[in-house]
Amino acid sequence: MKKLVALILVFFPMYMLGQTTDAKDEALSAVSKFCTLLSQYSNGGTTYLNNDRKIFDLCSSQKISTFDDIKSNKEVMLNSYLSLITRQYKNHLKMSFSQPQFVEALTIPTVQLIKKYQNFEGGLALASQDLKVDGNLDVYILIDVAQTIPSLGIQTKRKFIYSVVEHKLLAFIVGNSPFIMMCNAIKAYSENNLGKALNYCDKALANERFDKKFACAGLAINCCLKMNNYRECYKYTPYLGEQKEIYNIMLDCMLAIESKDMNKAFGCLQILAESKVANYSDCQALLANFYANGYGCTRNRQKALDWYRSANKEGSAIAGYMFWIDFMYVEDKDDENLDFKEGEIYNFIKTSAERGCLPSFYEVALCEANFNNTEKEGYWYKKGAELGDIKGFVSYGLWLSSVKHNKQESIYWLKKAVNSSNLSSYLEHQDIKKYGMETVDDIKKLLYCVEHDIPVPSFSGTKEQFEECFRKVSEQMSSSSTNIPHSSNSYSNSSYTGSNTSSSTSYTQSSYTYRKRSKPFNCPNEDHPVAGFSVGYVQKQWSVKSDGEKFKVGYWDDSKFISGVQAGIRVEPLFKYGFGIDTGLYYEFYYSKSKPQTSDGVEFSPSMQDHSLYLPIHAEYRLNFSDSFQAFFYGGVGFDLVVASSIKTNSDILEYEDDDAYHSLDFKKFNASVEFGGGLRYSCFQLNFTMSKGLLKMNSSDEMMIKQNKMMCNLSVMF
């Protein structure tokens, strides 16, 4: 019950930080006008008498935050700031402003918990819990300027805050503004640093003239709620103005239910159900639940029905589901006298599902199964699965197998259920126990059945049908050899394993384990990524053999190599026992600049550029130490093709007759090399180091032998 109430009542405004560039020009224009008008006003002249009105027109009010003559940085209102200039400086305080600079835009949307997807039965629900953006509260554009007052010898960095919604300036301040504090709180909240966000909120709210206290208090309240510190929420309700009392009642209700004071909780709900605050329709549904079950009041099924109808009419997503539970699963003799309308019960639960209440999906699916609408049944199972609910994984997987006979997709969804980290705790609270699925092993049995073509019932089947399905598993276990053959289909997965059992082991409900599938030695996971994007550093050099001497050069005589960058697609299909292939296609760009040279008395600095394609074909052996970590080495051949090259000078007088860098040295543009290398992979990140020794003669002269060598270091992201 506590989770249900928290789910219903947690609807205080919440805020997240985003980025936008909309209205930036509008904000910069407003700041420029403000700075121009303020300079004219403070410097005197015939226009200052009207400039105060023009300045106020640019601002949200005449009382926005600003400062006095900067010496004290004491915060005053804008109208007081202008009055100070008039009185103390007689409108002859010269000041100037730098060009306004855009800093950032803080999008401040109102968001709420998506409680309509929350499974308040205590199950997974976390997978489908999220935040829903209901609309933007505002967008704050932050602009920096430097304010200079020569007579005081002071220059101060100022910050303007512009409201996109109001089309007005909110503040002309330094960095300790309460607006900045609230923006910092929003950022901390979005990073789930709740304590830090609450600290920023407290600092912002401490400013007496901060005019965004309602929004800031709403953020602080949500921090407290997420920290399960309900009593601390009372500290911030005074900032909610006329809504203070109703929010206090909500908190009273939550604390009353937490302490099991149902009489007090019932009294609070009566007030909330009649109010018009956000989510009052859900409060009406909760009040109906109290009447239906006699929590803190005399049990009255008619009043419960009336309040459920009202809540449903007002748009509550959970009303239909709670009504279904109270009137379909709880029998009462008084229900015979209630004036149910034709189809009303079904319409209630369907409306709840259509509004997004996750538990309602499965009730509607079962109804559709009873109506023999199998496609609609599958539709609702699929919606639950797509929201990340384990019950959806199981129900949709069974439906795909029993109705659609789609083995591959069925296994996909059942494996998602089996591999869910919180499957065990989820099953403790779920009603799928009535189907015989009480433990993690029970879900594993279903996956085993589908993989081994043992027919499974749809989720709408009976407990007896599931027991018959499990009995067939037992028969196969007892009649097979120790190593039960598993499907060789590529979608089978060994991530679900139990202990090995001998053929003499008899199957029982409590001791069931199925066999661990053997995997060939040193084989990767079947979902091992085989392709990815690679970037890295590459060196190219030429090995020269002439007159019995050997030496290595870059393109220029004074260099040992030329450097470049390499980017492309890496492809690594892997086979059994650690063997595989390393290949791909890469683009390389080289740039090299020589030291200054002299020709005919003219000094110049030549440079060259090289655009190449590279194709490796390597045999690879990989040591799979774990699913996440592997080491590997490889060897093979590589092919290089220069697609464009150039050589230039920086002189307007000198230039090369042939500006093709390879033609000028009589180098060939195609090369084949023998290559070897190795590397490491952790998760999807892979590091490669490769050496390349040229096989082909790169020049046409008979007097010397030139071959091209390379060294490459790459980081790849595999997917």
Side-chain angles (χ1 to χ4, degrees):
M1 176 60 71
K2 177 183 174 183
K3 288 187 178 183
L4 172 60
V5 176
L7 180 65
I8 292 175
L9 297 183
V10 176
F11 58 85
F12 298 97
M14 297 164 62
Y15 309 94
M16 291 196 308
L17 184 66
Q19 292 282 335
T20 179
T21 57
D22 293 342
K24 180 177 72 173
D25 293 340
E26 178 183 304
L28 288 170
S29 175
V31 170
S32 295
K33 291 179 181 178
F34 183 97
C35 293
T36 299
L37 292 169
L38 183 57
S39 295
Q40 292 175 352
Y41 182 91
S42 63
N43 290 349
T46 58
T47 60
Y48 83 90
L49 291 176
N50 291 325
N51 283 355
D52 55 354
R53 177 182 57 80
K54 295 177 182 178
I55 291 172
F56 292 145
D57 287 343
L58 292 170
C59 303
S60 59
S61 75
Q62 297 182 12
K63 299 181 179 181
I64 69 167
S65 297
T66 183
F67 291 80
D68 62 8
D69 60 8
I70 301 178
K71 286 185 177 180
S72 65
N73 273 346
K74 178 181 177 182
E75 187 175 355
V76 296
M77 297 176 289
L78 177 60
N79 53 358
S80 300
Y81 182 74
L82 297 184
S83 297
L84 181 67
I85 292 175
T86 303
R87 294 194 315 271
Q88 186 170 343
Y89 299 101
K90 308 300 182 184
N91 296 101
H92 285 86
L93 178 66
K94 293 185 178 181
M95 67 174 64
S96 61
F97 293 90
S98 65
Q99 185 73 20
Q101 298 293 324
F102 170 79
V103 179
E104 62 179 332
L106 304 177
T107 302
I108 307 179
T110 55
V111 298
Q112 294 182 344
L113 289 175
I114 303 180
K115 54 191 172 303
K116 60 185 181 181
Y117 293 147
Q118 172 79 27
N119 186 337
F120 46 74
E121 293 175 342
L124 172 68
L126 295 175
S128 58
Q129 184 177 357
D130 205 342
L131 295 175
K132 175 184 177 183
V133 178
D134 290 331
N136 286 343
L137 178 69
D138 205 342
V139 178
Y140 290 166
I141 307 291
L142 274 61
I143 307 291
D144 276 352
V145 299
Q147 182 187 31
T148 302
I149 303 179
S151 62
L152 300 178
I154 295 176
Q155 184 181 66
T156 304
K157 290 184 177 180
R158 296 298 188 113
K159 195 178 298 292
F160 285 89
I161 301 177
Y162 180 81
S163 166
V164 172
V165 171
E166 297 183 39
H167 302 284
K168 298 287 186 178
L169 294 171
L170 300 179
F172 167 52
I173 39 77
V174 291
N176 60 350
S177 161
F179 288 93
I180 304 300
M181 292 297 175
M182 190 172 83
C183 290
N184 290 336
I186 294 167
K187 183 175 182 180
Y189 183 89
S190 70
E191 297 170 348
N192 205 34
N193 193 338
L194 303 178
K196 188 175 181 180
L198 201 59
N199 183 48
Y200 279 125
C201 287
D202 289 338
K203 291 180 179 180
L205 292 169
N207 189 294
E208 294 181 0
R209 294 191 307 97
F210 181 42
D211 61 358
K212 302 295 180 184
K213 291 187 177 182
F214 181 92
C216 193
L219 178 60
I221 288 171
N222 275 283
C223 290
C224 295
L225 290 172
K226 292 186 72 174
M227 297 165 69
N228 295 320
N229 191 350
Y230 302 139
R231 295 188 182 279
E232 188 72 11
C233 295
Y234 289 104
K235 174 182 175 181
Y236 302 101
T237 55
Y239 298 106
L240 302 180
E242 296 178 355
Q243 298 189 41
K244 170 187 173 181
E245 294 303 323
I246 199 67
Y247 278 75
N248 281 335
I249 293 173
M250 293 176 191
L251 295 171
D252 291 343
C253 184
M254 295 177 68
L255 291 171
I257 293 178
E258 184 179 31
S259 62
K260 298 183 179 180
D261 187 350
M262 305 309 269
N263 290 327
K264 182 176 181 180
F266 175 74
C268 293
L269 285 173
Q270 286 181 301
I271 299 173
L272 295 173
E274 298 285 359
S275 68
K276 289 296 181 181
V277 294
N279 279 26
Y280 74 97
S281 61
D282 286 344
C283 295
Q284 292 179 347
L286 187 54
L287 178 61
N289 178 259
F290 271 51
Y291 272 121
N293 297 280
Y295 300 141
C297 62
T298 302
R299 198 164 187 255
N300 190 322
R301 304 283 281 183
Q302 181 60 55
K303 285 188 177 181
L305 177 59
D306 293 340
W307 279 112
Y308 274 133
R309 285 172 173 167
S310 176
N312 191 58
K313 180 180 179 181
E314 295 299 322
S316 172
I318 65 170
Y321 178 74
M322 295 175 67
F323 171 83
W324 180 269
I325 298 300
D326 283 338
F327 284 91
M328 283 296 292
Y329 292 133
V330 180
E331 296 183 1
D332 192 285
K333 62 180 181 179
D334 294 337
D335 291 352
E336 298 176 358
N337 301 320
L338 299 180
D339 58 334
F340 289 111
K341 301 172 184 177
E342 183 177 356
E344 183 174 25
I345 296 179
Y346 172 73
N347 290 334
F348 256 102
I349 192 65
K350 186 177 181 182
T351 299
S352 180
E354 290 172 345
R355 288 174 178 169
C357 181
L358 177 59
S360 300
F361 295 174
Y362 309 110
E363 304 299 339
V364 175
L366 294 176
C367 289
E368 298 294 356
N370 290 331
F371 300 151
N372 293 320
N373 295 328
T374 56
E375 293 300 325
K376 290 184 178 179
E377 177 191 6
Y379 168 81
W380 288 108
Y381 292 149
K382 184 179 181 181
K383 282 183 70 69
E386 290 176 340
L387 286 174
D389 187 56
I390 292 179
K391 194 172 181 180
F393 297 158
V394 175
S395 59
Y396 189 48
L398 293 176
W399 181 85
L400 285 166
S401 178
S402 61
V403 177
K404 289 297 185 180
H405 307 295
N406 188 333
K407 181 177 179 179
Q408 184 169 352
E409 285 195 49
S410 175
I411 290 176
Y412 169 79
W413 289 105
L414 289 174
K415 283 198 297 186
K416 286 181 74 70
V418 167
N419 295 330
S420 296
S421 60
N422 57 337
L423 175 60
S424 180
S425 60
Y426 179 82
L427 292 174
E428 292 177 4
H429 302 279
Q430 291 302 301
D431 62 355
I432 61 176
K433 293 179 181 180
K434 64 187 179 185
Y435 300 100
M437 291 175 276
E438 300 180 358
T439 66
V440 173
D441 274 346
D442 293 332
I443 308 300
K444 291 180 179 179
K445 297 173 198 175
L446 295 174
L447 178 56
Y448 181 92
C449 290
V450 175
E451 282 194 318
H452 292 81
D453 300 316
I454 299 175
V456 294
S458 173
F459 195 70
S460 58
T462 64
K463 183 175 182 179
E464 289 73 19
Q465 289 175 313
F466 281 94
E467 290 176 346
E468 173 65 16
C469 173
F470 297 149
R471 183 186 63 79
K472 293 179 180 179
V473 176
S474 176
E475 292 177 353
Q476 180 168 335
M477 290 286 294
S478 60
S479 63
S480 64
S481 60
T482 301
N483 294 318
I484 297 178
H486 282 252
S487 169
S488 61
N489 292 328
S490 61
Y491 51 80
S492 290
N493 191 303
S494 61
S495 59
Y496 54 96
T497 56
S499 59
N500 289 336
T501 56
S502 65
S503 59
S504 62
T505 302
S506 61
Y507 164 75
T508 64
Q509 177 77 9
S510 60
S511 63
Y512 169 80
T513 56
Y514 57 88
R515 308 193 186 287
K516 181 176 181 179
R517 295 173 53 213
S518 61
K519 185 173 69 172
F521 168 74
N522 196 33
C523 283
N525 274 357
E526 290 162 0
D527 59 354
H528 184 90
V530 298
F533 181 72
S534 176
V535 295
Y537 171 77
V538 59
Q539 285 184 1
K540 184 186 294 188
Q541 66 179 191
W542 287 269
S543 175
V544 182
K545 183 178 181 182
S546 177
D547 296 330
E549 295 184 4
K550 294 182 179 180
F551 56 93
K552 297 177 181 180
V553 297
Y555 187 83
W556 313 105
D557 292 338
D558 57 4
S559 64
K560 295 296 184 180
F561 55 82
I562 62 174
S563 298
V565 293
Q566 183 186 85
I569 300 298
R570 179 178 298 278
V571 181
E572 282 186 313
L574 300 179
F575 312 116
K576 290 184 178 180
Y577 313 117
F579 293 102
I581 295 175
D582 172 47
T583 184
L585 183 62
Y586 303 85
Y587 162 76
E588 297 176 347
F589 172 74
Y590 298 88
Y591 177 81
S592 179
K593 187 174 182 179
S594 172
K595 293 180 180 179
Q597 301 181 17
T598 302
S599 176
D600 296 331
V602 178
E603 185 176 287
F604 65 100
S605 296
S607 62
M608 68 88 67
Q609 293 185 8
D610 177 343
H611 303 267
S612 301
L613 293 178
Y614 166 59
L615 172 67
I617 302 177
H618 302 150
E620 178 178 292
Y621 185 75
R622 184 174 293 258
L623 296 170
N624 294 281
F625 294 109
S626 71
D627 292 343
S628 299
F629 178 72
Q630 302 101 43
F632 53 89
F633 53 89
Y634 48 82
V637 295
F639 302 98
D640 297 278
L641 177 64
V642 178
V643 294
S645 65
S646 63
I647 182 170
K648 299 179 180 180
T649 73
N650 63 340
S651 171
D652 295 333
I653 302 174
L654 299 176
E655 61 180 27
Y656 290 98
E657 295 181 1
D658 187 349
D659 62 0
D660 188 302
Y662 280 72
H663 288 169
S664 65
L665 292 183
D666 193 26
F667 281 1
K668 297 178 181 179
K669 294 188 176 183
F670 176 77
N671 183 45
S673 305
V674 61
E675 299 183 333
F676 58 90
L680 301 171
R681 181 189 292 188
Y682 180 76
S683 184
C684 63
F685 298 100
Q686 178 167 308
L687 182 66
N688 287 66
F689 182 83
T690 309
M691 296 296 294
S692 175
K693 299 294 184 181
L695 295 174
L696 303 182
K697 183 180 179 182
M698 300 301 293
N699 63 318
S700 59
S701 173
D702 295 330
E703 298 178 359
M704 64 177 63
M705 173 73 73
I706 299 178
K707 293 185 178 181
Q708 176 183 295
N709 301 329
K710 287 169 57 179
M711 184 277 289
M712 294 162 276
C713 184
N714 306 81
L715 178 65
S716 304
V717 179
M718 308 301 291
F719 48 84

